[in-house]
Amino acid sequence: MRPLIARRDTPPLTARRGPVAPPPAPPPVAEPVHRDPAPSIWSYRVQRLWLTPLFRRVLRVGVPSFALVFGTGLYFSDEGHRTAILDGLQEIRREIEARPEFRVNVLGIDGASDRLTAEIRGALALDLPVSSFDLDLEALRQRVEALPAVARADLRIQSGGYLAVRVTERVPALIWQTREGIVLIDREGHFVDALGDRQLEAPLPMVAGEGADRVVDEALALHAAAAPLGDRLRGFVRMGERRWDVVLTDDRRILLPERGAVQALDRALALQDATDILGRDVLRLDLRNPDRLTVQLTPAAIEELRRLRALERDTLTGGTSG
Amino acid sequence: MNILYQSQRAMRAKRQDALRRGVIAVLDIGTHKISCLVLKFDQTDAAAPAEGIGAMAGQANFRVVGAATTRSRGVRFGEIDSCQETERAIRTAVQAAQKMAQVRVDHVIVALAGARPRSYGLDGEVTLTTGTVTDHDVGRVLAACDLPDLGQGREVLHAQPVNFSLDHRTGLSDPRGHVGNRLMVDMHLLSIEAHAIETLLHCVKRCDLELAGLASAPYVAGTSSLVEDEQELGAACIDMGGGTTSLSIFIKKHMIFADTVRMGGDHVTADISQGLQIPMGHAERIKCRFGGVMATGMDDREIIELTGETGDWHHDRRTATRAELIGVMRPRVEEILEEVRARLDAAGFEHLPSQRIVLTGGASQIPGLDGLASRILGNQVRLGRPLRVQGLPQSTCGPAFSACVGLALFAAYPQDEWWDFETPADRLPQRSLKRAVKWFRDNW
């Protein structure tokens, strides 16, 4: 409601005694200086700096990469952080490795006899089930191939957690008599087994002498060539790592030359066919010199020969004298 | 003389540096607006045949990558009046142009409209020692020109060899290789007030820029708005700016005269503001929207509302007809043109073989100006627009930007000036050792 009587704001126009205070000066009204917008000197400079290519590159690439590297370095300089992160990574790795998809449950061995299978199992010494990440197939293969009876092994992890070991066994080709014992060797001269540990399916040729395992091929060829000797053949002896002797029953020998041993043996066999030379009192049949066949007789035969020769001489002298 | 050589050569060196970097800014400091163009130079095209002689002719082809215009502050009559305000305006323009170009510019070439330019025609004469004109002779004949008394506090802005004559032959643009006895040169020298240059340098330096060149606005406006045969046959370019109307006369592709009338479009605006009692901004708007110089009967019926914010109802709701507006504008425009006529007469423009006049600049956009100008200046008047340069935005293609575009052309195709030639050794004895070393290095 407006009052009906007008209020008087201004002081009455009555004269006053005393010094009249001047009315308070109105506060100076700041005249708004209208200026056109312009960038301040600093914004101008900053913008120019930002448009500088080198500065831009440093700020965009250099500083973040430095911060990243520095921060990472700072974080990893603490031993605790490092081990924590490594442990975490190991844990994750272990979890993944332990998943059933990667587990090997069954070890299957193919192409080995029962005894060898057991041996391979022992050599592998796997504690199944095991994660396929923990299996070093190459090392396992070398372990299997280190077994004397194994020629080649092939390991692979198949689906369903199956570790398949495919083994090629060494086939014994010869019986080798050494000072240490009697062993079986295969075609390449590798040790297969001790003779006592194994039942042989078929009789094998027997060899002796040092270095016989390096020339298994020759021994086998000689054995094939000496087939007509039949039961009389006992074996072959490597002499001086150089040439072969064929050892027959009754400790008789055929001494073969260094080269052309098989042909020499064939010649000896032909001689046997023609003259039955081995049926006589011959201790050694020496074919080492291809030009000349030499025969060592048994002592008894030599005695007999001498006796006969002496008799013959007597008869001749008696005949001429008498 | 030597100081002039040194400062101008320093600017040339900076310009060469900028061209090598490939980015340079041109800045037209006008009374009404400040516009900045950022130029990107593709490569120095040395193979292009150069017009004229000397090392600076025909340098590169360029592209405009940034353009910005801002209202000018602190500039009166084409001269810097308030340094700080101008500096702010330059910063605004340069920053906006840089932002558009996305490149930092360090070197700037500036055009000046005002500062009372004064033209001098110089001539020099020298007897050739050998029969053939060489570079050395050109430098010698230029050095033989007597520098006139410029007056207190004035500096040389342009000093361009305009014409070479050899014995009785004249009109040679490049005398090198010609055979003769006496070589003469006509040179055009333009001087302006030194304080304008000093102030400008100060402002440019405060903006962290380096001044790589300085040009006179009438000259650069002429190079951009006159077509080639006008420049060849003789023409005058009248750049009607905000605070000044500058004129330059060209013949044989050289400027032979430049002058400035210290009146322009802003004075027309001031007249409107006074005559119709409206604020300047409003007057400017009305001038641009309804302005003209030729009144017709139709204009009496076209009502312009002169709205205001004073609070006085009657004052704020006045109207004026377009005829009244034209009546305010026309006397001032006539005055400007008559003043231009007087300057042209003083320069002896009527003796030129061709007397084309090209009107350009922001104030030349007044409708009907060409009709009025042809009454005052003569029949051969046309309105000029700047040359089209590559990459120039549409908004800066108008006649108001002819000085700006001309400055870009000036940056790319600089005219050979006095200081581009080696001065003869006898003028600079202290340099003779250096010259000997240079000769040794060049030849061995």
Side-chain angles (χ1 to χ4, degrees), chain A residues 35-36 39 44 47-48 52, chain B residues 88 95 98 105-106 207:
Chain A
R35 300 175 103 181
D36 284 343
Y44 174 75
Q47 207 212 7
R48 281 171 64 80
T52 310
Chain B
R88 280 159 51 84
Q95 187 178 37
Q98 272 181 353
V105 285
D106 288 324
C207 293

Side-chain angles (χ1 to χ4, degrees), chain A residues 1 9 39 42 44 47 62 91 97 132 144 160 177 194 217 226 264 267 280 283 300 307-308 313:
Chain A
M1 285 290 280
D9 290 333
W42 284 111
Y44 174 75
Q47 207 212 7
E91 186 58 36
E97 284 177 0
S132 60
V144 172
Q177 190 173 357
D217 291 344
R267 265 171 57 209
R280 298 165 193 250
L283 202 58
R307 193 184 61 83
L308 283 177
R313 200 164 47 229

Side-chain angles (χ1 to χ4, degrees), chain A residues 17 46 56 60 63 66 147 180 198 223 245 252:
Chain A
R17 295 254 170 89
V46 163
R56 213 181 162 108
R60 277 190 166 173
V63 171
F66 174 76
L147 292 176
E180 284 83 30
R198 181 186 281 244
H223 180 71
D245 272 7
R252 284 182 295 180

Side-chain angles (χ1 to χ4, degrees), chain B residues 279-355:
Chain B
M280 282 290 270
H282 196 179
E284 176 74 28
R285 199 171 62 78
I286 283 176
K287 181 185 84 171
C288 295
R289 179 117 185 254
F290 304 103
V293 286
M294 302 293 259
T296 61
M298 183 72 172
D299 293 330
D300 285 331
R301 295 196 293 278
E302 194 167 336
I303 309 292
I304 304 164
E305 291 196 7
L306 309 173
T307 55
E309 294 294 329
T310 55
D312 183 346
W313 197 88
H314 291 288
H315 188 267
D316 287 352
R317 279 160 190 75
R318 287 172 303 138
T319 55
T321 61
R322 186 161 180 241
E324 283 173 328
L325 178 68
I326 289 172
V328 173
M329 286 175 70
R330 180 161 173 151
R332 179 63 85 167
V333 176
E334 279 179 344
E335 187 192 353
I336 295 172
L337 291 175
E338 275 162 8
E339 189 69 27
V340 168
R341 176 79 256 173
R343 302 290 171 97
L344 286 177
D345 286 344
F349 183 61
E350 68 265 28
H351 302 302
L352 251 58
S354 160
Q355 294 176 18

Side-chain angles (χ1 to χ4, degrees), chain B residues 130-148:
Chain B
T130 59
T132 318
V133 182
T134 57
D135 274 333
H136 176 68
D137 292 321
V138 175
R140 217 151 53 88
V141 73
L142 289 175
C145 294
D146 287 330
L147 195 66

